[in-house]
Structures are given as structure tokens and as C-alpha cells.
Amino acid sequence: KNGIVAILVATKYIFIKRPTINYPTETILFTDRFRGILEVDDDLCIGCGICAMHCPNQCIFMVPYEKGKPPMIPEIDLIHCMYCGICTEVCPTNAIYHTHVVNIVGYKREDLYLDSKRVTKIQELEYK
């Protein structure tokens, strides 16, 4: 009797759609509220530093921006970022936001530190 039940249970799972995907050829469709890697729009940023002040992990640092506008821009240490979204909520100009990028690859710790040159073009840096 137990053998028949086992066979019925096993055959039931043959017809159920599997929850996995064939990564990397297939990707997951993310919702609008998904919190991926942070990016900064340097046209909107005013360099106020509110995002760095409110970061609970203190992984956002304000540094002088070489383009001059804004005078300061955030740099983000992704190793310590917990993607809480507080920085995006407190930004008065919505200059810092979460992207749908999840494929940033690094072989050293420095590769996961978004300096002033990389923090504004995350979507171009995505590993493809």
C-alpha cells in the first residue's frame, strides 16, 4: 500500500511546473519595487549628503565630484549595503534609486565599491 502511495505522489510532481529557471539564458522578471544595486543620477543630485547621513550601515560616502555639478556625490560600498532603501526615501530630489541590476561581478573587494565614476552608470556595468 505504501508503494502505491509513493508512486502516486511521485507522478504528481512530473506534471507540476518547476520553480527554477535556466540561468543565465533566462532571467527573472522583477517587480517595480525590487531593490537592486543603487545608482545615482548626477543630473538630479545636489550633493546634500542626506543619503549618507541616514544610511544605517554607513556605506555611503560623500566625495568631491570631478565634473563639478554637483559639488559632492555619493560613493557606495556594496559589500556593506543591505539594500534597505532608506537612502532612496530621504533623497529630496530622488537622485539615488534602486535599479534592477543584480549581476555585478567582482574578484576583489574594490570591485564592489562604486566610486564616483561607476555609481552613475551601474546599468552599463552589469555583467552580461
Side-chain angles (χ1 to χ4, degrees):
K1 185 176 179 178
N2 288 339
I4 295 172
V5 172
I7 291 172
L8 291 175
V9 170
T11 56
K12 177 177 89 171
Y13 286 102
I14 292 174
F15 302 105
I16 294 177
K17 186 175 188 241
R18 299 180 190 272
T20 58
I21 61 168
N22 294 323
Y23 182 82
T25 57
E26 295 178 17
T27 58
I28 298 171
L29 296 175
F30 298 109
T31 63
D32 291 337
R33 295 180 52 154
F34 177 77
R35 293 180 184 165
I37 295 177
L38 293 164
E39 185 173 55
V40 176
D41 186 347
D42 58 352
D43 292 330
L44 294 176
C45 183
I46 57 175
C48 62
I50 293 175
C51 55
M53 287 187 287
H54 285 84
C55 181
N57 284 359
Q58 299 175 349
C59 63
I60 300 177
F61 310 97
M62 297 303 290
V63 296
Y65 193 41
E66 60 189 31
K67 291 185 180 177
K69 185 204 174 284
M72 304 285 279
I73 196 159
E75 291 185 345
I76 303 168
D77 186 1
L78 292 178
I79 293 174
H80 295 104
C81 181
M82 63 181 175
Y83 304 97
C84 64
I86 294 174
C87 57
T88 62
E89 292 175 14
V90 299
C91 182
T93 60
N94 295 324
I96 188 168
Y97 51 89
H98 289 281
T99 62
H100 287 186
V101 175
V102 293
N103 295 331
I104 296 290
V105 177
Y107 296 102
K108 302 177 293 219
R109 287 180 175 258
E110 296 84 31
D111 296 339
L112 297 176
Y113 184 84
L114 302 178
D115 59 8
S116 59
K117 294 175 185 166
R118 297 176 67 204
V119 79
T120 57
K121 47 184 142 188
I122 291 302
Q123 298 182 42
E124 296 172 14
L125 297 174
E126 182 179 14
Y127 176 74
K128 296 180 182 186

PDB file of all heavy atoms in Angstrom, residues 69-95:
ATOM      1  N   LYS A  69      29.388  69.512 -11.045  1.00  0.00           N
ATOM      2  CA  LYS A  69      27.973  69.615 -10.696  1.00  0.00           C
ATOM      3  C   LYS A  69      27.438  68.223 -10.526  1.00  0.00           C
ATOM      4  O   LYS A  69      27.452  67.446 -11.482  1.00  0.00           O
ATOM      5  CB  LYS A  69      27.186  70.324 -11.790  1.00  0.00           C
ATOM      6  CG  LYS A  69      25.727  70.550 -11.376  1.00  0.00           C
ATOM      7  CD  LYS A  69      24.834  70.701 -12.588  1.00  0.00           C
ATOM      8  CE  LYS A  69      23.395  70.776 -12.192  1.00  0.00           C
ATOM      9  NZ  LYS A  69      22.779  69.551 -11.825  1.00  0.00           N
ATOM     10  N   PRO A  70      27.025  67.833  -9.376  1.00  0.00           N
ATOM     11  CA  PRO A  70      27.017  68.530  -8.084  1.00  0.00           C
ATOM     12  C   PRO A  70      28.431  68.579  -7.494  1.00  0.00           C
ATOM     13  O   PRO A  70      29.313  67.852  -7.946  1.00  0.00           O
ATOM     14  CB  PRO A  70      26.119  67.646  -7.216  1.00  0.00           C
ATOM     15  CG  PRO A  70      26.298  66.279  -7.786  1.00  0.00           C
ATOM     16  CD  PRO A  70      26.496  66.472  -9.269  1.00  0.00           C
ATOM     17  N   PRO A  71      28.636  69.431  -6.486  1.00  0.00           N
ATOM     18  CA  PRO A  71      29.987  69.521  -5.904  1.00  0.00           C
ATOM     19  C   PRO A  71      30.407  68.245  -5.180  1.00  0.00           C
ATOM     20  O   PRO A  71      31.584  67.905  -5.151  1.00  0.00           O
ATOM     21  CB  PRO A  71      29.879  70.694  -4.930  1.00  0.00           C
ATOM     22  CG  PRO A  71      28.428  70.864  -4.673  1.00  0.00           C
ATOM     23  CD  PRO A  71      27.702  70.367  -5.881  1.00  0.00           C
ATOM     24  N   MET A  72      29.464  67.528  -4.579  1.00  0.00           N
ATOM     25  CA  MET A  72      29.736  66.268  -3.895  1.00  0.00           C
ATOM     26  C   MET A  72      28.799  65.207  -4.460  1.00  0.00           C
ATOM     27  O   MET A  72      27.677  65.511  -4.860  1.00  0.00           O
ATOM     28  CB  MET A  72      29.493  66.405  -2.387  1.00  0.00           C
ATOM     29  CG  MET A  72      30.279  67.503  -1.710  1.00  0.00           C
ATOM     30  SD  MET A  72      31.990  67.089  -1.498  1.00  0.00           S
ATOM     31  CE  MET A  72      31.928  66.079  -0.059  1.00  0.00           C
ATOM     32  N   ILE A  73      29.266  63.967  -4.488  1.00  0.00           N
ATOM     33  CA  ILE A  73      28.441  62.868  -4.984  1.00  0.00           C
ATOM     34  C   ILE A  73      28.663  61.653  -4.083  1.00  0.00           C
ATOM     35  O   ILE A  73      29.753  61.472  -3.548  1.00  0.00           O
ATOM     36  CB  ILE A  73      28.753  62.547  -6.464  1.00  0.00           C
ATOM     37  CG1 ILE A  73      27.633  61.701  -7.076  1.00  0.00           C
ATOM     38  CG2 ILE A  73      30.095  61.883  -6.607  1.00  0.00           C
ATOM     39  CD1 ILE A  73      27.590  61.750  -8.572  1.00  0.00           C
ATOM     40  N   PRO A  74      27.632  60.826  -3.877  1.00  0.00           N
ATOM     41  CA  PRO A  74      27.818  59.649  -3.018  1.00  0.00           C
ATOM     42  C   PRO A  74      28.600  58.535  -3.707  1.00  0.00           C
ATOM     43  O   PRO A  74      28.446  58.291  -4.899  1.00  0.00           O
ATOM     44  CB  PRO A  74      26.390  59.203  -2.709  1.00  0.00           C
ATOM     45  CG  PRO A  74      25.527  59.833  -3.721  1.00  0.00           C
ATOM     46  CD  PRO A  74      26.240  61.023  -4.247  1.00  0.00           C
ATOM     47  N   GLU A  75      29.453  57.885  -2.937  1.00  0.00           N
ATOM     48  CA  GLU A  75      30.083  56.645  -3.337  1.00  0.00           C
ATOM     49  C   GLU A  75      29.515  55.562  -2.435  1.00  0.00           C
ATOM     50  O   GLU A  75      29.248  55.807  -1.262  1.00  0.00           O
ATOM     51  CB  GLU A  75      31.597  56.708  -3.181  1.00  0.00           C
ATOM     52  CG  GLU A  75      32.261  57.637  -4.162  1.00  0.00           C
ATOM     53  CD  GLU A  75      33.770  57.600  -4.079  1.00  0.00           C
ATOM     54  OE1 GLU A  75      34.332  57.083  -3.089  1.00  0.00           O
ATOM     55  OE2 GLU A  75      34.387  58.106  -5.020  1.00  0.00           O
ATOM     56  N   ILE A  76      29.312  54.360  -2.960  1.00  0.00           N
ATOM     57  CA  ILE A  76      28.601  53.315  -2.220  1.00  0.00           C
ATOM     58  C   ILE A  76      29.459  52.062  -2.126  1.00  0.00           C
ATOM     59  O   ILE A  76      29.990  51.584  -3.130  1.00  0.00           O
ATOM     60  CB  ILE A  76      27.260  52.986  -2.908  1.00  0.00           C
ATOM     61  CG1 ILE A  76      26.417  54.252  -3.037  1.00  0.00           C
ATOM     62  CG2 ILE A  76      26.510  51.910  -2.145  1.00  0.00           C
ATOM     63  CD1 ILE A  76      25.228  54.118  -3.942  1.00  0.00           C
ATOM     64  N   ASP A  77      29.571  51.537  -0.922  1.00  0.00           N
ATOM     65  CA  ASP A  77      30.272  50.284  -0.678  1.00  0.00           C
ATOM     66  C   ASP A  77      29.232  49.163  -0.676  1.00  0.00           C
ATOM     67  O   ASP A  77      28.501  48.989   0.294  1.00  0.00           O
ATOM     68  CB  ASP A  77      31.010  50.356   0.657  1.00  0.00           C
ATOM     69  CG  ASP A  77      31.878  49.149   0.919  1.00  0.00           C
ATOM     70  OD1 ASP A  77      31.937  48.252   0.057  1.00  0.00           O
ATOM     71  OD2 ASP A  77      32.503  49.099   1.992  1.00  0.00           O
ATOM     72  N   LEU A  78      29.153  48.418  -1.772  1.00  0.00           N
ATOM     73  CA  LEU A  78      28.123  47.384  -1.911  1.00  0.00           C
ATOM     74  C   LEU A  78      28.329  46.203  -0.980  1.00  0.00           C
ATOM     75  O   LEU A  78      27.390  45.463  -0.713  1.00  0.00           O
ATOM     76  CB  LEU A  78      28.074  46.886  -3.355  1.00  0.00           C
ATOM     77  CG  LEU A  78      27.579  47.886  -4.383  1.00  0.00           C
ATOM     78  CD1 LEU A  78      27.627  47.267  -5.769  1.00  0.00           C
ATOM     79  CD2 LEU A  78      26.182  48.349  -4.064  1.00  0.00           C
ATOM     80  N   ILE A  79      29.542  46.018  -0.479  1.00  0.00           N
ATOM     81  CA  ILE A  79      29.793  44.905   0.440  1.00  0.00           C
ATOM     82  C   ILE A  79      28.996  45.094   1.723  1.00  0.00           C
ATOM     83  O   ILE A  79      28.491  44.140   2.296  1.00  0.00           O
ATOM     84  CB  ILE A  79      31.294  44.785   0.737  1.00  0.00           C
ATOM     85  CG1 ILE A  79      32.030  44.360  -0.525  1.00  0.00           C
ATOM     86  CG2 ILE A  79      31.559  43.792   1.863  1.00  0.00           C
ATOM     87  CD1 ILE A  79      33.524  44.343  -0.397  1.00  0.00           C
ATOM     88  N   HIS A  80      28.844  46.337   2.162  1.00  0.00           N
ATOM     89  CA  HIS A  80      28.145  46.601   3.416  1.00  0.00           C
ATOM     90  C   HIS A  80      26.701  47.049   3.228  1.00  0.00           C
ATOM     91  O   HIS A  80      25.955  47.155   4.196  1.00  0.00           O
ATOM     92  CB  HIS A  80      28.914  47.644   4.221  1.00  0.00           C
ATOM     93  CG  HIS A  80      30.263  47.156   4.648  1.00  0.00           C
ATOM     94  ND1 HIS A  80      31.424  47.564   4.032  1.00  0.00           N
ATOM     95  CD2 HIS A  80      30.616  46.253   5.581  1.00  0.00           C
ATOM     96  CE1 HIS A  80      32.443  46.953   4.597  1.00  0.00           C
ATOM     97  NE2 HIS A  80      31.986  46.138   5.535  1.00  0.00           N
ATOM     98  N   CYS A  81      26.282  47.333   2.000  1.00  0.00           N
ATOM     99  CA  CYS A  81      24.916  47.793   1.750  1.00  0.00           C
ATOM    100  C   CYS A  81      23.936  46.647   1.965  1.00  0.00           C
ATOM    101  O   CYS A  81      24.141  45.530   1.488  1.00  0.00           O
ATOM    102  CB  CYS A  81      24.793  48.319   0.322  1.00  0.00           C
ATOM    103  SG  CYS A  81      23.154  48.947  -0.078  1.00  0.00           S
ATOM    104  N   MET A  82      22.849  46.916   2.700  1.00  0.00           N
ATOM    105  CA  MET A  82      21.831  45.887   2.913  1.00  0.00           C
ATOM    106  C   MET A  82      20.567  46.180   2.104  1.00  0.00           C
ATOM    107  O   MET A  82      19.539  45.560   2.315  1.00  0.00           O
ATOM    108  CB  MET A  82      21.502  45.762   4.398  1.00  0.00           C
ATOM    109  CG  MET A  82      20.916  46.958   5.036  1.00  0.00           C
ATOM    110  SD  MET A  82      20.627  46.597   6.770  1.00  0.00           S
ATOM    111  CE  MET A  82      20.085  48.187   7.336  1.00  0.00           C
ATOM    112  N   TYR A  83      20.652  47.131   1.177  1.00  0.00           N
ATOM    113  CA  TYR A  83      19.562  47.444   0.249  1.00  0.00           C
ATOM    114  C   TYR A  83      18.255  47.756   0.977  1.00  0.00           C
ATOM    115  O   TYR A  83      17.184  47.326   0.551  1.00  0.00           O
ATOM    116  CB  TYR A  83      19.369  46.297  -0.757  1.00  0.00           C
ATOM    117  CG  TYR A  83      20.640  45.980  -1.504  1.00  0.00           C
ATOM    118  CD1 TYR A  83      21.477  44.948  -1.094  1.00  0.00           C
ATOM    119  CD2 TYR A  83      21.012  46.740  -2.593  1.00  0.00           C
ATOM    120  CE1 TYR A  83      22.651  44.676  -1.762  1.00  0.00           C
ATOM    121  CE2 TYR A  83      22.189  46.476  -3.271  1.00  0.00           C
ATOM    122  CZ  TYR A  83      22.996  45.441  -2.851  1.00  0.00           C
ATOM    123  OH  TYR A  83      24.157  45.167  -3.516  1.00  0.00           O
ATOM    124  N   CYS A  84      18.351  48.508   2.052  1.00  0.00           N
ATOM    125  CA  CYS A  84      17.173  48.825   2.854  1.00  0.00           C
ATOM    126  C   CYS A  84      16.291  49.880   2.192  1.00  0.00           C
ATOM    127  O   CYS A  84      15.101  49.948   2.447  1.00  0.00           O
ATOM    128  CB  CYS A  84      17.589  49.284   4.244  1.00  0.00           C
ATOM    129  SG  CYS A  84      18.538  50.814   4.264  1.00  0.00           S
ATOM    130  N   GLY A  85      16.869  50.738   1.366  1.00  0.00           N
ATOM    131  CA  GLY A  85      16.088  51.748   0.666  1.00  0.00           C
ATOM    132  C   GLY A  85      15.899  53.047   1.416  1.00  0.00           C
ATOM    133  O   GLY A  85      15.200  53.938   0.936  1.00  0.00           O
ATOM    134  N   ILE A  86      16.511  53.194   2.578  1.00  0.00           N
ATOM    135  CA  ILE A  86      16.360  54.436   3.345  1.00  0.00           C
ATOM    136  C   ILE A  86      16.948  55.609   2.576  1.00  0.00           C
ATOM    137  O   ILE A  86      16.368  56.698   2.536  1.00  0.00           O
ATOM    138  CB  ILE A  86      16.985  54.299   4.746  1.00  0.00           C
ATOM    139  CG1 ILE A  86      16.195  53.282   5.567  1.00  0.00           C
ATOM    140  CG2 ILE A  86      17.047  55.641   5.466  1.00  0.00           C
ATOM    141  CD1 ILE A  86      16.796  52.962   6.922  1.00  0.00           C
ATOM    142  N   CYS A  87      18.083  55.404   1.934  1.00  0.00           N
ATOM    143  CA  CYS A  87      18.721  56.486   1.176  1.00  0.00           C
ATOM    144  C   CYS A  87      17.826  56.974   0.038  1.00  0.00           C
ATOM    145  O   CYS A  87      17.779  58.166  -0.251  1.00  0.00           O
ATOM    146  CB  CYS A  87      20.073  56.041   0.640  1.00  0.00           C
ATOM    147  SG  CYS A  87      20.002  54.564  -0.395  1.00  0.00           S
ATOM    148  N   THR A  88      17.092  56.067  -0.590  1.00  0.00           N
ATOM    149  CA  THR A  88      16.209  56.473  -1.679  1.00  0.00           C
ATOM    150  C   THR A  88      14.986  57.230  -1.170  1.00  0.00           C
ATOM    151  O   THR A  88      14.460  58.093  -1.861  1.00  0.00           O
ATOM    152  CB  THR A  88      15.744  55.249  -2.485  1.00  0.00           C
ATOM    153  OG1 THR A  88      14.997  54.382  -1.642  1.00  0.00           O
ATOM    154  CG2 THR A  88      16.920  54.504  -3.058  1.00  0.00           C
ATOM    155  N   GLU A  89      14.561  56.908   0.038  1.00  0.00           N
ATOM    156  CA  GLU A  89      13.386  57.567   0.605  1.00  0.00           C
ATOM    157  C   GLU A  89      13.693  58.982   1.093  1.00  0.00           C
ATOM    158  O   GLU A  89      12.849  59.859   1.013  1.00  0.00           O
ATOM    159  CB  GLU A  89      12.812  56.739   1.742  1.00  0.00           C
ATOM    160  CG  GLU A  89      12.208  55.433   1.282  1.00  0.00           C
ATOM    161  CD  GLU A  89      11.758  54.565   2.434  1.00  0.00           C
ATOM    162  OE1 GLU A  89      11.659  55.066   3.559  1.00  0.00           O
ATOM    163  OE2 GLU A  89      11.514  53.366   2.197  1.00  0.00           O
ATOM    164  N   VAL A  90      14.902  59.209   1.611  1.00  0.00           N
ATOM    165  CA  VAL A  90      15.219  60.521   2.187  1.00  0.00           C
ATOM    166  C   VAL A  90      15.795  61.485   1.166  1.00  0.00           C
ATOM    167  O   VAL A  90      15.909  62.678   1.457  1.00  0.00           O
ATOM    168  CB  VAL A  90      16.185  60.395   3.385  1.00  0.00           C
ATOM    169  CG1 VAL A  90      15.560  59.574   4.498  1.00  0.00           C
ATOM    170  CG2 VAL A  90      17.520  59.822   2.966  1.00  0.00           C
ATOM    171  N   CYS A  91      16.145  61.020  -0.020  1.00  0.00           N
ATOM    172  CA  CYS A  91      16.731  61.905  -1.036  1.00  0.00           C
ATOM    173  C   CYS A  91      15.682  62.913  -1.497  1.00  0.00           C
ATOM    174  O   CYS A  91      14.619  62.535  -2.001  1.00  0.00           O
ATOM    175  CB  CYS A  91      17.228  61.089  -2.227  1.00  0.00           C
ATOM    176  SG  CYS A  91      18.007  62.106  -3.496  1.00  0.00           S
ATOM    177  N   PRO A  92      15.957  64.215  -1.341  1.00  0.00           N
ATOM    178  CA  PRO A  92      14.945  65.215  -1.696  1.00  0.00           C
ATOM    179  C   PRO A  92      14.692  65.331  -3.200  1.00  0.00           C
ATOM    180  O   PRO A  92      13.627  65.790  -3.610  1.00  0.00           O
ATOM    181  CB  PRO A  92      15.522  66.521  -1.135  1.00  0.00           C
ATOM    182  CG  PRO A  92      16.982  66.283  -1.029  1.00  0.00           C
ATOM    183  CD  PRO A  92      17.163  64.825  -0.787  1.00  0.00           C
ATOM    184  N   THR A  93      15.630  64.909  -4.022  1.00  0.00           N
ATOM    185  CA  THR A  93      15.460  65.033  -5.473  1.00  0.00           C
ATOM    186  C   THR A  93      15.289  63.692  -6.178  1.00  0.00           C
ATOM    187  O   THR A  93      15.253  63.642  -7.409  1.00  0.00           O
ATOM    188  CB  THR A  93      16.678  65.749  -6.085  1.00  0.00           C
ATOM    189  OG1 THR A  93      17.849  64.979  -5.803  1.00  0.00           O
ATOM    190  CG2 THR A  93      16.828  67.154  -5.535  1.00  0.00           C
ATOM    191  N   ASN A  94      15.212  62.591  -5.417  1.00  0.00           N
ATOM    192  CA  ASN A  94      15.111  61.238  -5.969  1.00  0.00           C
ATOM    193  C   ASN A  94      16.274  60.912  -6.908  1.00  0.00           C
ATOM    194  O   ASN A  94      16.103  60.225  -7.914  1.00  0.00           O
ATOM    195  CB  ASN A  94      13.777  61.026  -6.693  1.00  0.00           C
ATOM    196  CG  ASN A  94      12.603  61.105  -5.757  1.00  0.00           C
ATOM    197  OD1 ASN A  94      12.694  60.679  -4.615  1.00  0.00           O
ATOM    198  ND2 ASN A  94      11.514  61.672  -6.228  1.00  0.00           N
ATOM    199  N   ALA A  95      17.453  61.406  -6.567  1.00  0.00           N
ATOM    200  CA  ALA A  95      18.629  61.191  -7.405  1.00  0.00           C
ATOM    201  C   ALA A  95      19.242  59.812  -7.189  1.00  0.00           C
ATOM    202  O   ALA A  95      19.914  59.294  -8.067  1.00  0.00           O
ATOM    203  CB  ALA A  95      19.677  62.262  -7.120  1.00  0.00           C
TER     204      ALA A  95
END
